[in-house]
């Protein structure tokens, strides 16, 4: 019951601290020699995004703390170890094959697999998940390649 009542709050605080530390450390990266976007840009954006999500998690945690959990059954929210293990396995495979297969293909397959793993069975729309995975990864690829000039592994496409 302790984790159910205070888990969101504790997670939010931990990630807010991580975001602040990450932002400070990103500021210590050397500036770009070519001008424009430096090497600290993406880490700072990620730190700010993590900070915003952490604050939202803290707000959710405060709301959860106000609820009364005394009358709930202990086995109502069973841990889902299979989803956790499937996520770890999918990420491990993704990292392992990215160099050979390439960013675009491996990321599309990983994102699709991850959405299937996390989506409830009754709400799985495979066509929609596939479209989201393809469109999202193509947009990310073009942003990194063209706007940020970051080379991503080409793999079998290169």
């Amino acid at each position: 019951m302790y984790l159910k009542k205070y888990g969101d709050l504790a997670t939010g605080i931990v990630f807010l601290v991580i975001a602040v530390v990450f932002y400070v450390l990103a500021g210590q990266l050397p500036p770009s020699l070519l001008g424009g976007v430096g090497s600290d840009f993406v880490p700072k954006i990620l730190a700010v995004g993590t900070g915003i999500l952490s604050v939202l998690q803290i707000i959710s945690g405060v709301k959860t703390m106000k609820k009364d959990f005394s009358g709930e059954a202990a086995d109502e929210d069973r841990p889902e170890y299979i989803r956790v293990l499937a996520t770890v396995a999918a990420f491990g495979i993704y990292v392992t094959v990215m160099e050979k297969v390439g960013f675009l293909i491996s990321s599309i397959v990983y994102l699709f697999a991850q959405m299937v793993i996390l989506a409830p069975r009754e709400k799985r729309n495979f066509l929609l998940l596939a479209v989201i995975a393809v469109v999202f990864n193509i947009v990310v690829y073009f942003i990194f390649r063209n706007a940020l000039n970051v080379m991503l592994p080409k793999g079998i496409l290169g």
Side-chain angles (χ1 to χ4, degrees):
M1 179 159 93
Y2 178 81
L3 185 61
K4 191 172 191 178
K5 189 168 184 173
Y6 300 107
D8 287 343
L9 181 65
T11 303
I13 291 170
V14 167
F15 275 95
L16 184 60
V17 170
I18 290 171
V20 169
V21 170
F22 196 58
Y23 189 87
V24 170
L25 291 175
Q28 297 175 359
L29 291 171
S32 173
L33 299 175
L34 304 173
V37 176
S39 59
D40 65 337
F41 179 73
V42 173
K44 283 184 176 180
I45 293 293
L46 291 174
V48 168
T50 302
I52 291 169
L53 293 174
S54 299
V55 169
L56 294 174
Q57 188 76 23
I58 291 169
I59 292 169
S60 173
V62 170
K63 289 179 182 176
T64 302
M65 281 177 40
K66 294 178 182 177
K67 291 182 182 178
D68 182 23
F69 292 104
S70 58
E72 293 187 18
D75 63 345
E76 187 176 289
D77 291 324
R78 293 186 350 249
E80 298 189 36
Y81 297 112
I82 293 175
R83 287 186 182 194
V84 172
L85 293 175
T87 295
V88 171
F91 186 72
I93 293 168
Y94 170 66
V95 170
T96 304
V97 302
M98 186 187 294
E99 281 295 321
K100 288 193 178 219
V101 177
F103 171 82
L104 198 55
I105 293 174
S106 61
S107 294
I108 289 170
V109 172
Y110 169 72
L111 184 58
F112 176 77
Q114 192 61 60
M115 289 189 292
V116 169
I117 291 167
L118 295 177
R121 287 187 190 270
E122 61 275 0
K123 293 187 179 182
R124 289 183 185 157
N125 181 342
F126 293 108
L127 179 61
L128 177 64
L129 296 179
V131 169
I132 291 171
V134 169
V135 170
F136 178 79
N137 281 296
I138 288 174
V139 168
V140 167
Y141 180 80
F142 280 106
I143 289 172
F144 273 85
R145 181 66 186 103
N146 298 323
L148 300 174
N149 288 327
V150 175
M151 296 299 295
L152 297 169
K154 290 181 182 176
I156 59 177
L157 295 179

